Amino acid sequence: MAAAGLGGAAVVAVAAAVSMGLLLTVDREQPTPYMDELFHCRQAQHYCRRAYDVWDPMITTLPGLYILSAGLLEAWAAAVGGTAKQLCSVTVLRATNWLLWLACIIVVQRIIVKQQRVSPGAAWLHALVVCLFPLLFFFSFLYYTDVGSTLLVLSCYYLALSDRPVSSALVGGLSVLFRQTNIVWVVFSAGVLVLQREKLMQPGPLSTALTTALQRTLGKPLQLLELSVPYLIVGACFGAFLVQNDGIVVGDRSNHVSVLHVPQLFYCAAFTVFFAAPHIAHHIMPFYQSLRQPTTLLTLAAVTAACMYCVREFTHEHPYLLADNRHITFYVWKNISRRFSLARYFVVPAYVAAGALMQRSLAHRGPLFWWLFVAITALAIVPARLLEFRYFLLPYLLFRLNLAAPSTLQLLAEAALYVAVNAVTIYVFLNHPFTWPHEPGVQRFMW
């Protein structure tokens, strides 16, 4: 145990040193707030001045990140002298996310030990690899809400796995202060807690799993109600917020209107399979062989037809998507979906195959877990009109953390993939700035 603790400290120390070097590099090359940082940094600085009544109408999330940053800086000022206002620079605010990213390594290590029965020592390296996931790692150098949101959702999930519903619900409620849609991941954590307690995460047919679930839960309604009370309180508070706020979005509502954007699930599946390829590749051949079975082939053909219908009827193109060439999604959309009129339909079989591979990869967790995961992911991303890879961060990580324990080769391949993608995206962000004729200042490519 002591050796595992020292190993964990070493992993976190090395991660801290390397990532701090990158943070300082990013800060040197881009010392001023970039893109959405402009709103987030300015709002945090209002809170550091204790001007809690000032709110930027362009911000669409609740003030969890700003409260946390101001609180940390108040504590730091009390310890070293000065005021939070004096300490509240862009560099220091970015360092808040750097600290939160390091905390993510600790929480992910706990989840891996809990779920995959990996030794604590080995789990530290495993956790570091997971936290190098490009969407998480990149935003640990900028003052966005993603890293804090991820940390709290993963903590909520870990506490649910640890059978601590009160703590899980409390942390889940705090996660909503970072991003309102996190409420669905609180529901997910509650569902996983119930499935785990009732031993309902066993592989097998869905019909059998549903029958077993009914038999085990209908006979103990009071126990389930007691288990659910903390989460129901969080849900009731969130419902009160929706009524009071007249919706889920605060601030700029006009560009964040909810729609039925079903293809978001397809994009998320393709995104997930790409980044989880080292863990999914061995399922490709069994999936291919299953196509020889007429029933499987007919089912996939029907699913493909349904997905094509959804692509035709429920694809949405947000005005921001093709108006902002600083984001990777601009080039993905332009070069695939906009290549020619039928291009978006040609990739539907790939979406279906990606979904099938994901389902196979989580088969060991049972069908109830799989459909809970799909339903919650849909609630999280389908209402969003904008295609934004950051929306896939939590679905990906929760999928990844529920895969079977990887081999050393799989983990090395995953690390190599993440490091390569991080190297390219961070290098391009730092070294290939460009300008817009209609807007002053330097622009940079980013996720």
Side-chain angles (χ1 to χ4, degrees):
M1 187 64 71
L6 289 174
V11 167
V12 174
V14 171
V18 173
S19 57
M20 174 53 76
L22 284 171
L23 172 64
L24 294 175
T25 302
V26 168
D27 199 65
R28 183 181 68 246
E29 296 296 325
Q30 181 63 48
T32 57
Y34 184 65
M35 288 189 66
D36 289 1
E37 277 192 311
L38 180 64
F39 312 120
H40 295 310
C41 289
R42 188 165 57 203
Q43 188 61 48
Q45 287 164 348
H46 288 315
Y47 276 47
C48 287
R49 292 195 296 269
R50 302 182 183 179
Y52 304 118
D53 58 333
V54 178
W55 184 257
D56 190 323
M58 294 301 295
I59 294 174
T60 59
T61 53
L62 293 171
L65 179 61
Y66 322 128
I67 294 170
L68 174 64
S69 297
L72 289 174
L73 293 180
E74 290 282 3
W76 186 13
V80 302
T83 65
K85 177 182 175 180
Q86 294 169 329
L87 298 171
C88 201
S89 66
V90 174
T91 303
V92 171
L93 290 174
R94 287 172 175 170
T96 304
N97 272 350
W98 171 75
L99 287 172
L100 296 176
W101 178 75
L102 294 176
C104 282
I105 299 175
I106 298 170
V107 174
V108 168
Q109 190 267 355
R110 301 289 191 272
I111 293 173
I112 290 168
V113 171
K114 181 71 66 175
Q115 289 203 148
Q116 299 185 346
R117 304 185 187 281
V118 177
S119 68
W124 281 111
L125 286 174
H126 190 161
L128 176 59
V129 171
V130 171
C131 290
L132 287 175
F133 176 58
L135 268 294
L136 181 63
F137 189 65
F138 184 90
F139 287 100
S140 67
F141 306 122
L142 298 174
Y143 194 64
Y144 276 60
T145 60
D146 301 85
V147 180
S149 165
T150 299
L151 173 64
L152 289 172
V153 169
L154 292 180
S155 298
C156 170
Y157 179 66
Y158 168 70
L159 291 165
L161 292 176
S162 303
D163 203 13
R164 296 163 63 184
V166 175
S167 299
S168 172
L170 177 60
V171 173
L174 293 176
S175 76
V176 176
L177 296 178
F178 281 67
R179 184 162 290 169
Q180 294 91 302
T181 53
N182 285 345
I183 190 65
V184 302
W185 297 111
V186 180
V187 176
F188 176 76
S189 299
V192 169
L193 176 54
V194 172
L195 293 179
Q196 180 177 262
R197 256 201 197 184
E198 300 303 322
K199 296 180 173 55
L200 294 171
M201 288 195 285
Q202 305 297 327
L206 177 60
S207 57
T208 302
L210 288 171
T211 300
T212 303
L214 288 172
Q215 290 172 346
R216 293 183 182 176
T217 57
L218 289 180
K220 49 176 89 169
L222 292 179
Q223 292 93 321
L224 287 177
L225 179 62
E226 180 182 359
L227 179 68
S228 305
V229 164
Y231 297 104
L232 291 174
I233 292 173
V234 172
C237 292
F238 186 74
F241 159 73
L242 292 178
V243 172
Q244 175 67 26
N245 188 59
D246 193 26
I248 194 170
V249 177
V250 297
D252 182 19
R253 296 174 185 246
S254 60
N255 289 306
H256 295 82
V257 177
S258 294
V259 296
L260 190 61
H261 195 172
V262 178
Q264 288 275 32
L265 285 172
F266 312 154
Y267 312 145
C268 185
F271 174 90
T272 298
V273 167
F274 174 80
F275 281 107
H279 305 282
I280 287 178
H282 66 284
H283 290 290
I284 294 175
M285 187 54 67
F287 169 66
Y288 174 74
Q289 292 170 344
S290 73
L291 298 180
R292 299 173 184 173
Q293 302 171 10
T295 303
T296 302
L297 197 58
L298 286 172
T299 301
L300 289 175
V303 171
T304 301
C307 290
M308 286 188 173
Y309 173 80
C310 290
V311 166
R312 189 187 73 179
E313 297 295 328
F314 301 111
T315 294
H316 295 270
E317 191 177 276
H318 197 288
Y320 286 174
L321 186 57
L322 290 177
D324 191 341
N325 66 345
R326 295 171 295 185
H327 291 288
I328 293 174
T329 48
F330 170 90
Y331 301 94
V332 172
W333 192 260
K334 174 186 167 187
N335 294 311
I336 297 179
S337 290
R338 276 292 194 96
R339 174 62 64 182
F340 54 92
S341 59
L342 296 178
R344 64 184 63 179
Y345 299 102
F346 286 175
V347 292
V348 168
Y351 297 150
V352 173
L357 289 171
M358 288 178 65
Q359 186 174 22
R360 283 175 171 267
S361 301
L362 289 183
H364 63 286
R365 302 291 279 169
L368 295 181
F369 178 89
W370 165 252
W371 288 110
L372 174 65
F373 173 75
V374 170
I376 295 300
T377 299
L379 288 172
I381 65 177
V382 166
R385 186 182 180 191
L386 179 64
L387 171 59
E388 170 68 82
F389 286 149
R390 289 187 298 138
Y391 298 162
F392 304 155
L393 173 57
L394 280 167
Y396 177 83
L397 287 177
L398 288 165
F399 171 83
R400 169 63 185 82
L401 289 170
N402 279 282
L403 294 173
S407 66
T408 301
L409 183 60
Q410 287 174 317
L411 205 56
L412 288 173
E414 180 182 22
L417 174 62
Y418 290 176
V419 169
V421 173
N422 281 325
V424 170
T425 51
I426 294 172
Y427 176 83
V428 170
F429 177 82
L430 293 174
N431 296 291
H432 289 275
F434 60 100
T435 58
W436 280 349
H438 59 281
E439 187 171 315
V442 169
Q443 310 302 324
R444 298 181 185 275
F445 296 106
M446 63 185 292
W447 283 104

